[in-house]
Amino acid sequence: MKKSWVLSIIMSFVLLGGVFAPAGSYAAAADDSTTTYSEDEYYEVDTSADEPELTADEEDFLNYLDQLDSASVYEEKAFNALGGGFYITSSNRKSVFLKLTNTAIPNYTKYVSKLKLIKPQNAELQKIHANLIKGSYTQLEGFQLAKKAVSKTTVNSTVLKQANAKIDTGKKNIEKFHKEISAYANKLGYDF
């Protein structure tokens, strides 16, 4: 895999603020050669010798990013259902409840479950990943509290405040993850 592909994945984490998205062509990342056309000649230039061998840490990091990418499908579905956030009023309470119940919470639960299955080999990466799990799980708890707050005919503002506090706490842990994963990538030589 090329460093630019890894860089695009990491930047998408940072730019989307917790919503991971696929960031490139896997076919292009797997290609080890470059085809060049010169006037009447067609020849292939092997660039695989130009790329250094990956260290164990780099390989673990790239595998980690691949696993995050596959889990992010569920996170994306959850956040798309909520429309980038939700402002709850008595008129949209039922709609928010249905979005949380039918799409957001089930998909975010799958996302958190997939995160828990990811086991990086590197101890530093494990510590960084723990912040993502902690933040995502805390946000899930916040979504469940928000669902409880809007489950009755009137919005329970006390429970809703608790939900917002949980979501904010989770967001802080996820932001910490983003900073640490960026620093870790820089340490491995992947510039942003």
Side-chain angles (χ1 to χ4, degrees):
M1 291 188 194
K2 297 183 180 182
K3 288 185 178 183
S4 62
W5 181 79
V6 173
L7 182 63
S8 342
I9 292 262
I10 294 171
M11 286 306 295
S12 69
F13 294 160
V14 173
L15 294 174
L16 294 175
V19 179
F20 304 120
S25 168
Y26 293 105
D31 189 6
D32 283 343
S33 63
T34 304
T35 304
T36 308
Y37 180 76
S38 173
E39 296 197 10
D40 295 328
E41 294 181 37
Y42 177 79
Y43 60 94
E44 204 168 284
V45 178
D46 185 11
T47 59
S48 60
D50 297 341
E51 295 180 24
E53 288 291 320
L54 295 176
T55 65
D57 287 344
E58 289 174 327
E59 195 168 317
D60 186 37
F61 181 62
L62 295 176
N63 288 335
Y64 174 73
L65 292 178
D66 286 341
Q67 292 174 35
L68 278 183
D69 190 39
S70 66
S72 70
V73 172
Y74 297 108
E75 182 192 34
E76 190 173 348
K77 286 180 184 179
F79 282 110
N80 285 343
L82 295 174
F86 51 92
Y87 180 74
I88 301 172
T89 64
S90 58
S91 61
N92 72 353
R93 176 202 60 78
K94 187 174 182 178
S95 171
V96 170
F97 175 78
L98 292 173
K99 288 176 185 177
L100 286 167
T101 302
N102 297 331
T103 309
I105 291 176
N107 280 298
Y108 208 73
T109 301
K110 287 178 189 175
Y111 170 66
V112 172
S113 296
K114 295 275 186 187
L115 288 180
K116 288 181 178 181
L117 295 175
I118 298 173
K119 305 288 184 200
Q121 300 300 312
N122 179 291
E124 186 177 356
L125 193 53
Q126 289 173 358
K127 184 179 175 186
I128 294 168
H129 182 65
N131 284 323
L132 179 60
I133 292 173
K134 182 178 179 182
S136 298
Y137 187 77
T138 304
Q139 280 195 328
L140 177 60
E141 289 175 334
F143 293 149
Q144 291 168 337
L145 283 172
K147 175 185 165 184
K148 183 179 177 183
V150 297
S151 64
K152 307 273 190 223
T153 55
T154 58
V155 177
N156 185 333
S157 60
T158 304
V159 175
L160 187 58
K161 285 178 186 176
Q162 292 171 349
N164 288 334
K166 283 267 190 190
I167 292 169
D168 288 342
T169 301
K171 185 177 179 180
K172 287 176 185 172
N173 283 320
I174 292 171
E175 288 170 354
K176 181 178 179 184
F177 160 79
H178 286 297
K179 288 177 186 172
E180 290 176 351
I181 199 76
S182 296
Y184 185 75
N186 284 332
K187 177 179 152 185
L188 292 178
Y190 298 106
D191 297 322
F192 311 2

